[in-house]
Amino acid sequence: MKRVFLMILDSFGIGSSVDAGKFNDCGADTFGHIVEQCFLGKANKAREGYLKIPNLQKLGIFQAHNASTGKYPIGYDKKFYNSKIIASYGFASEISSGKDTTSGHWEIAGAPVLDDWYYFEKLNNTFPETLIHEIIKNFKLPGILGNCHASGTEIISKLGEEHIKTKKPILYTSSDSVLQVACHEDIFGLYNLYQLCHIIRSLLNKNKYKIARVIARPFIGMNKLNFQRTGNRVDFSIKPPSVTVMEKLVAEKKGKVIGVGKVSDIYAGVGISKSIKSFGLKELCNTTINEMQLAKNNTIVFTNFVDFDSIWGHRRDVSGYAKGLEFFDSQLYKMIHLVNKEDLLIITADHGCDPTWSGTDHTRENIPILIYSPGRKVKFLGHRTSFSDIGQTIAKYFSLSKMQYGTHMF
């Protein structure tokens, strides 16, 4: 029986990539800086002390980080962190043009983004007037709010009350190729929000704006003191530019791909047999463990653990990120014990989001590749020059036709 359990720790970078200078990210190191801050006692909100991740240790996360950066992070103590490595480990650099979720995930699946995305670069009056006019006209809106670059939580706090009064949706973006729409879940309505995002996605496609995602950002609360985003986020993505390894598994082996969390949204549903929406790290872990227990032959269980990015990375919350890693590690123990002799458990990431870095955007970093399979000899996987090596490895494992991009690791 062959099964792959592919776990994306969203934003879990392990050191700036060779081309990080193009993104002003030289020196970014999500994992390394979290370990350092924990050691220095600067990550003690609701937790304390060293970063406690014994299972990621056993899978080789510190060795992968050392290979990526040429050093161990400050606070790494071999006496504390020493353990027998049970997984193959290495790191990968990205060839896609962006440092965003879509680019990273697509490249992992063997479909890198080699052309540039379109970005809304103006910080204010961000969106083209003709596009705003079409959005307002097609959905019969009284107008829009925002129209700028912003942090999602901050713009909801600033404009949420006006949105409630006027029913005008809040439109904003970031340095990623995204257009985000925040609306009150009850007052504007979830259905209306999704329909609005669907219309915006269609307008962007019609006008040939290569925007990776339109993101519905529902929130609740009645004033800036109690506004909070809910788990009913939906990403309206464009389809990958080439065939993914998930599509090949379904087509060539009649296999199944179980997408947990926002995985299906990222791939616009392409190659996903079953989508399970989950919200929050605890629920994502529980759902993943349940699907691992149910998985049959020729199945991929594919989970995106979004909280590391959306809740702790972007909000520059080192303590929260560290606590999240420690909780995930406690659940990883259960996952490891569900891996059979022929299975592959792959732990990786899609980009960085260093919580010690300036600003609130993603960081261009290498990603870890940790592959646990009880029936395989542990090996150093080295520096992989594309995330697509993961997709190519999965293709070979399932005896699928060769992917266009990437080199297999076994």
Side-chain angles (χ1 to χ4, degrees), residues 243-261:
V243 175
T244 68
V245 70
M246 296 91 76
E247 290 177 84
K248 282 182 178 285
L249 178 63
V250 173
E252 297 178 16
K253 295 289 184 177
K254 294 183 172 56
K256 291 186 177 181
V257 179
I258 313 301
V260 180

PDB file of all heavy atoms in Angstrom, residues 243-261:
ATOM      1  N   VAL A 243       0.325  20.616 -15.396  1.00  0.00           N
ATOM      2  CA  VAL A 243      -0.240  19.476 -14.672  1.00  0.00           C
ATOM      3  C   VAL A 243       0.470  19.266 -13.340  1.00  0.00           C
ATOM      4  O   VAL A 243       1.705  19.303 -13.265  1.00  0.00           O
ATOM      5  CB  VAL A 243      -0.137  18.194 -15.526  1.00  0.00           C
ATOM      6  CG1 VAL A 243      -0.613  16.979 -14.732  1.00  0.00           C
ATOM      7  CG2 VAL A 243      -0.962  18.339 -16.796  1.00  0.00           C
ATOM      8  N   THR A 244      -0.299  19.064 -12.285  1.00  0.00           N
ATOM      9  CA  THR A 244       0.268  18.802 -10.965  1.00  0.00           C
ATOM     10  C   THR A 244       0.363  17.303 -10.710  1.00  0.00           C
ATOM     11  O   THR A 244      -0.290  16.494 -11.380  1.00  0.00           O
ATOM     12  CB  THR A 244      -0.597  19.431  -9.865  1.00  0.00           C
ATOM     13  OG1 THR A 244      -1.856  18.732  -9.811  1.00  0.00           O
ATOM     14  CG2 THR A 244      -0.834  20.916 -10.122  1.00  0.00           C
ATOM     15  N   VAL A 245       1.157  16.928  -9.717  1.00  0.00           N
ATOM     16  CA  VAL A 245       1.304  15.517  -9.380  1.00  0.00           C
ATOM     17  C   VAL A 245      -0.018  14.946  -8.857  1.00  0.00           C
ATOM     18  O   VAL A 245      -0.304  13.751  -9.042  1.00  0.00           O
ATOM     19  CB  VAL A 245       2.443  15.325  -8.349  1.00  0.00           C
ATOM     20  CG1 VAL A 245       2.077  15.888  -6.977  1.00  0.00           C
ATOM     21  CG2 VAL A 245       2.835  13.857  -8.245  1.00  0.00           C
ATOM     22  N   MET A 246      -0.853  15.794  -8.264  1.00  0.00           N
ATOM     23  CA  MET A 246      -2.154  15.299  -7.789  1.00  0.00           C
ATOM     24  C   MET A 246      -3.032  14.880  -8.966  1.00  0.00           C
ATOM     25  O   MET A 246      -3.704  13.857  -8.928  1.00  0.00           O
ATOM     26  CB  MET A 246      -2.860  16.357  -6.956  1.00  0.00           C
ATOM     27  CG  MET A 246      -2.115  16.725  -5.673  1.00  0.00           C
ATOM     28  SD  MET A 246      -0.983  18.083  -5.920  1.00  0.00           S
ATOM     29  CE  MET A 246      -2.154  19.439  -5.984  1.00  0.00           C
ATOM     30  N   GLU A 247      -3.035  15.702 -10.023  1.00  0.00           N
ATOM     31  CA  GLU A 247      -3.809  15.364 -11.222  1.00  0.00           C
ATOM     32  C   GLU A 247      -3.331  14.037 -11.811  1.00  0.00           C
ATOM     33  O   GLU A 247      -4.146  13.204 -12.239  1.00  0.00           O
ATOM     34  CB  GLU A 247      -3.675  16.465 -12.261  1.00  0.00           C
ATOM     35  CG  GLU A 247      -4.359  17.771 -11.911  1.00  0.00           C
ATOM     36  CD  GLU A 247      -4.104  18.825 -12.966  1.00  0.00           C
ATOM     37  OE1 GLU A 247      -4.838  18.842 -13.979  1.00  0.00           O
ATOM     38  OE2 GLU A 247      -3.162  19.626 -12.796  1.00  0.00           O
ATOM     39  N   LYS A 248      -2.025  13.836 -11.839  1.00  0.00           N
ATOM     40  CA  LYS A 248      -1.472  12.604 -12.399  1.00  0.00           C
ATOM     41  C   LYS A 248      -1.898  11.384 -11.580  1.00  0.00           C
ATOM     42  O   LYS A 248      -2.240  10.337 -12.135  1.00  0.00           O
ATOM     43  CB  LYS A 248       0.061  12.692 -12.460  1.00  0.00           C
ATOM     44  CG  LYS A 248       0.605  13.530 -13.618  1.00  0.00           C
ATOM     45  CD  LYS A 248       2.123  13.508 -13.622  1.00  0.00           C
ATOM     46  CE  LYS A 248       2.702  14.278 -14.777  1.00  0.00           C
ATOM     47  NZ  LYS A 248       2.576  13.553 -16.062  1.00  0.00           N
ATOM     48  N   LEU A 249      -1.883  11.521 -10.265  1.00  0.00           N
ATOM     49  CA  LEU A 249      -2.273  10.393  -9.421  1.00  0.00           C
ATOM     50  C   LEU A 249      -3.724  10.003  -9.680  1.00  0.00           C
ATOM     51  O   LEU A 249      -4.053   8.821  -9.802  1.00  0.00           O
ATOM     52  CB  LEU A 249      -2.077  10.753  -7.944  1.00  0.00           C
ATOM     53  CG  LEU A 249      -2.495   9.669  -6.949  1.00  0.00           C
ATOM     54  CD1 LEU A 249      -1.644   8.408  -7.110  1.00  0.00           C
ATOM     55  CD2 LEU A 249      -2.403  10.186  -5.509  1.00  0.00           C
ATOM     56  N   VAL A 250      -4.593  10.990  -9.775  1.00  0.00           N
ATOM     57  CA  VAL A 250      -6.011  10.730 -10.013  1.00  0.00           C
ATOM     58  C   VAL A 250      -6.231  10.117 -11.393  1.00  0.00           C
ATOM     59  O   VAL A 250      -6.980   9.148 -11.551  1.00  0.00           O
ATOM     60  CB  VAL A 250      -6.837  12.020  -9.849  1.00  0.00           C
ATOM     61  CG1 VAL A 250      -8.288  11.796 -10.274  1.00  0.00           C
ATOM     62  CG2 VAL A 250      -6.782  12.510  -8.401  1.00  0.00           C
ATOM     63  N   ALA A 251      -5.558  10.676 -12.403  1.00  0.00           N
ATOM     64  CA  ALA A 251      -5.772  10.240 -13.781  1.00  0.00           C
ATOM     65  C   ALA A 251      -5.112   8.898 -14.087  1.00  0.00           C
ATOM     66  O   ALA A 251      -5.708   8.038 -14.756  1.00  0.00           O
ATOM     67  CB  ALA A 251      -5.248  11.305 -14.741  1.00  0.00           C
ATOM     68  N   GLU A 252      -3.883   8.699 -13.604  1.00  0.00           N
ATOM     69  CA  GLU A 252      -3.112   7.520 -14.007  1.00  0.00           C
ATOM     70  C   GLU A 252      -3.307   6.317 -13.094  1.00  0.00           C
ATOM     71  O   GLU A 252      -3.165   5.169 -13.516  1.00  0.00           O
ATOM     72  CB  GLU A 252      -1.622   7.875 -14.078  1.00  0.00           C
ATOM     73  CG  GLU A 252      -1.309   8.935 -15.140  1.00  0.00           C
ATOM     74  CD  GLU A 252       0.162   9.317 -15.188  1.00  0.00           C
ATOM     75  OE1 GLU A 252       0.990   8.562 -14.628  1.00  0.00           O
ATOM     76  OE2 GLU A 252       0.491  10.363 -15.779  1.00  0.00           O
ATOM     77  N   LYS A 253      -3.617   6.557 -11.827  1.00  0.00           N
ATOM     78  CA  LYS A 253      -3.769   5.451 -10.875  1.00  0.00           C
ATOM     79  C   LYS A 253      -5.166   5.371 -10.261  1.00  0.00           C
ATOM     80  O   LYS A 253      -5.404   4.527  -9.395  1.00  0.00           O
ATOM     81  CB  LYS A 253      -2.745   5.606  -9.739  1.00  0.00           C
ATOM     82  CG  LYS A 253      -1.289   5.484 -10.170  1.00  0.00           C
ATOM     83  CD  LYS A 253      -0.941   4.062 -10.545  1.00  0.00           C
ATOM     84  CE  LYS A 253       0.538   3.946 -10.871  1.00  0.00           C
ATOM     85  NZ  LYS A 253       0.933   2.546 -11.187  1.00  0.00           N
ATOM     86  N   LYS A 254      -6.038   6.290 -10.743  1.00  0.00           N
ATOM     87  CA  LYS A 254      -7.358   6.388 -10.122  1.00  0.00           C
ATOM     88  C   LYS A 254      -7.239   6.549  -8.611  1.00  0.00           C
ATOM     89  O   LYS A 254      -8.033   6.003  -7.829  1.00  0.00           O
ATOM     90  CB  LYS A 254      -8.220   5.178 -10.478  1.00  0.00           C
ATOM     91  CG  LYS A 254      -8.590   5.091 -11.961  1.00  0.00           C
ATOM     92  CD  LYS A 254      -9.504   3.919 -12.253  1.00  0.00           C
ATOM     93  CE  LYS A 254     -10.014   3.960 -13.693  1.00  0.00           C
ATOM     94  NZ  LYS A 254      -8.939   4.014 -14.702  1.00  0.00           N
ATOM     95  N   GLY A 255      -6.202   7.299  -8.210  1.00  0.00           N
ATOM     96  CA  GLY A 255      -5.955   7.539  -6.799  1.00  0.00           C
ATOM     97  C   GLY A 255      -6.831   8.650  -6.255  1.00  0.00           C
ATOM     98  O   GLY A 255      -7.660   9.237  -6.966  1.00  0.00           O
ATOM     99  N   LYS A 256      -6.623   8.958  -4.975  1.00  0.00           N
ATOM    100  CA  LYS A 256      -7.397  10.004  -4.316  1.00  0.00           C
ATOM    101  C   LYS A 256      -6.463  11.022  -3.674  1.00  0.00           C
ATOM    102  O   LYS A 256      -5.408  10.663  -3.149  1.00  0.00           O
ATOM    103  CB  LYS A 256      -8.319   9.403  -3.252  1.00  0.00           C
ATOM    104  CG  LYS A 256      -9.458   8.571  -3.818  1.00  0.00           C
ATOM    105  CD  LYS A 256     -10.416   8.139  -2.720  1.00  0.00           C
ATOM    106  CE  LYS A 256     -11.594   7.358  -3.306  1.00  0.00           C
ATOM    107  NZ  LYS A 256     -12.551   6.937  -2.237  1.00  0.00           N
ATOM    108  N   VAL A 257      -6.890  12.276  -3.727  1.00  0.00           N
ATOM    109  CA  VAL A 257      -6.157  13.351  -3.069  1.00  0.00           C
ATOM    110  C   VAL A 257      -7.116  14.034  -2.111  1.00  0.00           C
ATOM    111  O   VAL A 257      -8.129  14.604  -2.531  1.00  0.00           O
ATOM    112  CB  VAL A 257      -5.594  14.367  -4.083  1.00  0.00           C
ATOM    113  CG1 VAL A 257      -4.862  15.488  -3.349  1.00  0.00           C
ATOM    114  CG2 VAL A 257      -4.669  13.674  -5.080  1.00  0.00           C
ATOM    115  N   ILE A 258      -6.810  13.949  -0.826  1.00  0.00           N
ATOM    116  CA  ILE A 258      -7.636  14.556   0.211  1.00  0.00           C
ATOM    117  C   ILE A 258      -7.004  15.891   0.595  1.00  0.00           C
ATOM    118  O   ILE A 258      -5.909  15.922   1.172  1.00  0.00           O
ATOM    119  CB  ILE A 258      -7.740  13.653   1.458  1.00  0.00           C
ATOM    120  CG1 ILE A 258      -8.057  12.200   1.063  1.00  0.00           C
ATOM    121  CG2 ILE A 258      -8.764  14.215   2.430  1.00  0.00           C
ATOM    122  CD1 ILE A 258      -9.328  12.024   0.286  1.00  0.00           C
ATOM    123  N   GLY A 259      -7.666  16.981   0.253  1.00  0.00           N
ATOM    124  CA  GLY A 259      -7.157  18.313   0.575  1.00  0.00           C
ATOM    125  C   GLY A 259      -7.754  18.803   1.879  1.00  0.00           C
ATOM    126  O   GLY A 259      -8.973  18.935   2.002  1.00  0.00           O
ATOM    127  N   VAL A 260      -6.898  19.076   2.871  1.00  0.00           N
ATOM    128  CA  VAL A 260      -7.358  19.517   4.190  1.00  0.00           C
ATOM    129  C   VAL A 260      -7.004  20.988   4.384  1.00  0.00           C
ATOM    130  O   VAL A 260      -5.896  21.414   4.054  1.00  0.00           O
ATOM    131  CB  VAL A 260      -6.728  18.668   5.313  1.00  0.00           C
ATOM    132  CG1 VAL A 260      -7.223  19.142   6.681  1.00  0.00           C
ATOM    133  CG2 VAL A 260      -7.038  17.190   5.114  1.00  0.00           C
ATOM    134  N   GLY A 261      -7.947  21.754   4.915  1.00  0.00           N
ATOM    135  CA  GLY A 261      -7.713  23.193   5.087  1.00  0.00           C
ATOM    136  C   GLY A 261      -7.992  23.917   3.788  1.00  0.00           C
ATOM    137  O   GLY A 261      -9.001  23.677   3.138  1.00  0.00           O
TER     138      GLY A 261
END
